Amino acid sequence: MALTRDEIARVAHMARLSLSEEEIEGFAEQLSRILEHVERINQVDVTDVPPTYHAVTLQNVLREDEPQPSLERETVLALAPESEAGCYKVPKITEG
Amino acid sequence: MSGMTHILSAARLNRLFLAGELSAVEIAESALSRIAKVEPQVGAFLHVAAEHVLDRAKKLDARRRAGDNEFGPLAGVPIAVKDNICTCGMETTCASRMLKGYVSPYDATVVERLRASGAMIIGKTNMDEFAMGSSGEASAFQTTRNPWDLERVPGGSSSGSAAAVAAGEVPLALGTDTGGSIRQPAAFTGVVGLKPTYGYVSRYGVVSFASSLDQVGPLGHDVEDVARLFEVIAGPDRRDATNAGRTPPELKFGGDPSLAGVRLGVPRELFGQGIDSGVKARVEEAIRQLEDLGATVEECSLPSTEYALSAYYVIALAEASSNLARYDGVRYGFRAAQTGGLTEMYSKTRGEGFGAEVKRRIMLGTYVLSSGHYDAYYRKAQQVRTLVVRDFERAFERFDALVTPTTPFTAWRIGEKIDDPMAMYLGDICTIPVNLAGLPAISVPCGFVDGLPVGMQLIGKHFADAQLLQMAWAYQKVTKHHESRPVLTEEGGR
């Protein structure tokens, strides 16, 4: 399965990764090779085989919904690149 | 004596501390001086917390002098922690530019447990960025070298934790294992490494790579030390919803080592093609020693193994691409210099903050989860995972544990596989099926090929970690491999 430059660019956009032209070309080649290997799973007959999402099965882990001590807002906001008035600050959301 | 603590086990250091024969400060100072001596060559640590560890040691000494006898099993023991495990007051960077300078406001559960046990955290160890790699070379900050041959990789992703133990900088370290990241570097550096059963150890405060596969575990020179650290970190934690809520049985070692009545299986798929002949010979010798100890050994088959690696990469990378979406330059970590709107900020932050291997894996994970590919890759991989699980279930009807090489070959040269990700991935073939099935497995040193350590892997049933440790202890009791230490050049001999 060979991935094209355009496909790589499309996936990079979905993943919110800005890539250089060099990276795009490198990934096109490397990801194609990895996918080629990964596609071996298509040789396996898995008709009627249920998927395993977790190997150690746990069901409905429940607990009482009680308030617990949490981190201070200031402590957490201090970790952010930018904050203002008790909120995270980000660049403008609408483009243009 | 205090200058020699680097050859003492955690158990011994703990006894000497409790008996008042060595103070915690002496132990900490000795470890720091060992670190100062060998770090220029090995480069295992991203951050050495000298001030913190001395302060902590003074407090332990004061408590002991005041007659406190409520110390935990790791009191006075210096321990290194992999840099993807959150530690209050110390950086947690995952060896990524994305988290450079990040200091977590809370401790991971395993770190809380370490502190409660009296352990002294001496620093944070290097790793492949976000635990993605098998050589340690994917760290954004430095390359850790294998203490047995400084031109070779120590394995990964817990590269620094394994190298720090092997180089005698600490008797014990914490690593994480998603596809072999504790066991493979343990094998490459000649130390013991345990990947516990999925759910035995809390993942709270451990930076997620692939949540259905990740598990924290101990690395150390000998099985008893590793068991001691495992007992400290394992157990219930309500803050991790995937924690099994189980406490391991108390481990006791002693008496004559015996494996009488133990049935061991040797999966032929992990013992044939692709396994280096030297590695194979060492593990075969080890198997004969297991037989001498009374175990019965028979060949068995895990037929789906050949597809496990493919299934693993789909599952692990799908989970990773989703987990790593949180690094967006908003709440913590790196943000690219201001440009345009929000979407551009996200993309530039992630493009500049992540290294090549992490980007490669996010790309692949995003691709297999994207519309039109989900059923062909992700769902299919989870179905193949079921087949891998069933293989193990069948094998465990007949056997108590399985024996394989930990890795198909010994440590490779730095730079050798850096441009060939697939070749590196193939080196994880013996360890990956274990994570897919959530089983416990331990790597123990079983000799050398051309001066490089070889690891034998024992795989157990779910929550049979204690049993595995007992088996590994018996093996270690009749061999001396774990007592070998690398000679670091500056030392000029032993």
Side-chain angles (χ1 to χ4, degrees):
Chain A
M1 168 103 206
L3 289 173
T4 62
R5 196 208 157 281
D6 283 357
E7 276 172 307
I8 293 292
R10 186 181 62 91
V11 175
H13 175 71
M14 286 193 290
R16 298 290 185 271
L17 280 174
S18 70
L19 300 179
S20 66
E21 272 310 309
E22 242 180 11
E23 283 177 311
I24 291 178
E25 272 168 41
F27 284 156
E29 192 256 319
Q30 289 163 350
L31 297 193
S32 298
R33 281 183 50 211
I34 297 168
L35 281 175
E36 200 178 298
H37 186 93
V38 158
E39 272 163 18
R40 294 157 60 105
I41 55 174
N42 291 316
Q43 301 163 12
V44 192
D45 181 11
V46 289
T47 324
D48 300 328
V49 176
T52 295
Y53 294 107
H54 269 271
V56 179
T57 319
L58 289 173
Q59 282 174 343
N60 299 339
V61 182
L62 299 176
R63 60 171 168 77
E64 292 305 311
D65 187 17
E66 286 165 356
Q68 300 285 327
S70 183
L71 296 167
E72 294 296 324
R73 177 189 290 220
E74 294 73 38
T75 312
V76 176
L77 282 177
L79 298 168
E82 227 183 326
S83 67
E84 197 178 295
C87 299
Y88 293 116
K89 194 174 175 190
V90 296
K92 61 181 173 191
I93 291 173
T94 49
E95 309 278 335
Chain B
M1 164 151 260
S2 67
M4 299 292 282
T5 59
H6 69 274
I7 58 168
L8 299 181
S9 69
R12 183 92 190 278
L13 288 171
N14 176 249
R15 275 198 300 275
L16 290 168
F17 167 72
L18 294 178
E21 287 175 41
L22 269 182
S23 70
V25 167
E26 282 175 303
I27 297 170
E29 280 174 346
S30 168
L32 288 171
S33 92
R34 176 72 183 167
I35 288 171
K37 190 169 176 185
V38 302
E39 264 305 280
Q41 299 166 72
V42 180
F45 283 88
L46 288 175
H47 174 60
V48 177
E51 229 173 278
H52 166 87
V53 76
L54 288 171
D55 183 52
R56 171 99 175 123
K58 280 178 198 152
K59 285 179 182 147
L60 286 168
D61 285 337
R63 268 176 63 192
R64 203 189 55 76
R65 277 196 303 270
D68 188 342
N69 52 11
E70 299 284 293
F71 286 109
L74 293 173
V77 178
I79 288 190
V81 174
K82 188 176 178 179
D83 206 33
N84 60 348
I85 301 174
C86 287
T87 43
C88 231
M90 265 177 227
E91 268 187 57
T92 298
T93 69
C94 293
S96 179
R97 280 186 297 277
M98 190 60 99
L99 286 175
K100 190 166 170 45
Y102 174 76
V103 179
S104 163
Y106 63 95
D107 274 336
T109 297
V110 290
V111 169
E112 265 181 22
R113 284 169 166 265
L114 277 187
R115 298 196 205 271
S117 75
M120 309 189 285
I121 297 172
I122 200 162
K124 303 296 290 285
T125 52
N126 197 21
M127 55 187 280
D128 287 294
E129 184 177 1
F130 284 103
M132 297 178 182
S134 312
S135 69
E137 293 162 292
S139 165
F141 304 129
Q142 68 197 40
T143 299
T144 300
R145 293 167 180 274
N146 191 322
W148 290 94
D149 178 346
L150 297 170
E151 300 306 312
R152 290 178 189 268
V153 302
S157 66
S158 307
S159 50
S161 292
V165 173
E169 296 174 86
V170 281
L172 280 171
L174 281 185
T176 60
D177 191 314
T178 303
S181 283
I182 288 173
R183 292 159 287 157
Q184 185 254 22
F188 277 14
T189 60
V191 305
V192 180
L194 172 73
K195 197 289 279 185
T197 304
Y198 183 86
Y200 232 152
V201 180
S202 169
R203 294 186 297 111
Y204 178 78
V206 180
V207 178
S208 297
F209 162 11
S211 307
S212 79
L213 305 163
D214 297 343
Q215 194 64 191
V216 182
L219 296 103
H221 273 300
D222 66 62
V223 173
E224 282 180 69
D225 275 4
V226 162
R228 186 176 283 244
L229 179 50
F230 168 68
E231 283 189 272
V232 165
I233 58 172
D237 182 17
R238 65 200 302 275
R239 293 174 297 187
D240 172 5
T242 60
N243 182 277
R246 296 170 64 138
T247 304
E250 202 184 322
L251 277 150
K252 286 258 189 297
F253 299 100
D256 284 335
S258 167
L259 294 176
V262 174
R263 300 162 304 166
L264 297 174
V266 179
R268 72 174 73 94
E269 291 82 2
L270 298 176
F271 230 101
Q273 218 190 345
I275 309 289
D276 171 80
S277 60
V279 168
K280 200 173 162 188
R282 289 298 90 77
V283 180
E284 278 167 352
E285 285 160 22
I287 289 172
R288 281 196 290 278
Q289 283 165 306
L290 295 170
E291 281 181 306
D292 291 344
L293 282 162
T296 55
V297 180
E298 269 179 73
E299 195 181 79
C300 66
S301 174
L302 301 171
S304 305
T305 298
E306 66 169 306
Y307 305 107
L309 193 67
S310 301
Y312 169 85
Y313 273 95
V314 172
I315 294 163
L317 304 198
E319 292 184 14
S321 73
S322 155
N323 272 326
L324 270 62
R326 74 191 62 181
Y327 303 101
D328 57 4
V330 175
R331 288 160 300 161
Y332 36 69
F334 174 75
R335 178 188 285 190
Q338 208 55 276
T339 47
L342 185 64
T343 306
E344 196 184 334
M345 188 279 282
Y346 287 153
S347 297
K348 279 199 72 175
T349 294
R350 292 164 60 79
E352 292 171 22
F354 291 133
E357 181 64 22
V358 174
K359 286 190 223 178
R360 184 151 52 227
R361 295 194 188 199
I362 291 174
M363 289 289 290
L364 205 60
T366 306
Y367 179 80
V368 299
L369 286 177
S370 64
S371 134
H373 299 295
Y374 180 90
D375 281 337
Y377 291 106
Y378 189 66
R379 190 179 155 80
K380 194 80 181 259
Q382 300 285 28
Q383 289 174 299
V384 172
R385 183 179 191 175
T386 303
L387 299 178
V388 173
V389 169
R390 287 179 183 170
D391 278 0
F392 279 115
E393 282 170 356
R394 256 193 305 275
F396 284 128
E397 284 169 14
R398 290 169 58 207
F399 303 108
D400 300 306
L402 306 179
V403 189
T404 76
T406 307
T407 58
F409 30 72
T410 53
W412 57 83
R413 289 185 182 283
I414 291 170
E416 196 179 319
K417 297 185 195 231
I418 213 155
D419 295 322
D420 190 357
M422 205 57 233
M424 208 178 304
Y425 298 172
L426 287 168
D428 298 332
I429 187 62
C430 302
T431 47
I432 270 172
V434 172
N435 298 75
L436 286 175
L439 300 167
I442 190 167
S443 178
V444 283
C446 70
F448 295 83
V449 174
D450 299 329
L452 296 170
V454 177
M456 165 176 66
Q457 175 177 240
L458 293 166
I459 307 168
K461 299 175 187 176
H462 284 143
F463 302 104
D465 306 48
Q467 229 181 317
L468 270 190
L469 286 159
Q470 294 286 0
M471 290 178 208
W473 177 82
Y475 171 74
Q476 183 191 270
K477 229 27 207 174
V478 296
T479 55
K480 295 284 174 213
H481 306 304
H482 65 287
E483 289 174 12
S484 304
R485 296 285 188 273
V487 180
L488 289 156
T489 45
E490 301 296 302
E491 290 178 280
R494 280 161 214 262

